[in-house]
Amino acid sequence: MTLRQLCLRLNNCEWAAEQLLALASRLRAGVPALGRLPGRAVEQCEQSCRDLLYYIAAKVVYYELEPALVTALYLPRPEEARLSGLLGLLTPRLAEMCKLAAPRWTQGLLEGVLSTLAIAIAAVIELPDRHFEPHHKALLEEDVNLLGAAFLKATGGALEEPIVRAALSVIRATGDEATG
């Protein structure tokens, strides 16, 4: 399933929840004894939306970006294959998500992608075929800042700095250990 289809599915789940709430409101107005109708169905729609958020983040990072992560990032040497190449692949996907997904879910999508990507990059740094020296610390910090900038509100992203900083902390800690 494409990213477009997944974002549309997310929107459909949200639309279904909205329709259920509207229907329930009309029914309760006509038949007050109905009480809590349709609470469970709306909760299921909300859970489906959250599940889709996780799935979309995993799909983007582990299926669409994986080749660039595992087979190219920081290989053959850290200074030769930097994060900018990966961001070239990621940026259009982020733009597509922001364009297609309902505004209510955009931040969650971006947070999910950033967190998942940060964990994946940290794992790549720890791979046995990656070799970092102390002088690579600045290079890794520059890459982390570049990734953060792609997600920050101040630079056109949709996330606040504390959220971005927290997600990137895993890469910083792993990078410090790898270059230490």
Side-chain angles (χ1 to χ4, degrees), residues 83-98:
L83 196 56
S84 58
L86 185 70
L87 287 177
L89 299 171
L90 178 63
T91 303
R93 287 168 174 83
L94 295 177
E96 185 175 12
M97 282 187 270
C98 290

Side-chain angles (χ1 to χ4, degrees), residues 55-78:
Y55 179 77
I56 292 168
K59 181 184 185 324
V60 167
V61 174
Y62 295 122
Y63 295 97
E64 296 179 10
L65 300 178
E66 186 268 338
L69 275 165
V70 176
T71 62
L73 185 62
Y74 303 125
L75 282 176
R77 295 182 336 199

Side-chain angles (χ1 to χ4, degrees), residues 38-56:
R40 180 76 179 129
V42 172
E43 290 169 14
Q44 289 174 330
C45 288
E46 291 289 318
Q47 184 58 50
S48 294
C49 287
R50 286 189 296 275
D51 291 346
L52 276 166
L53 290 179
Y54 297 129
Y55 179 77
I56 292 168

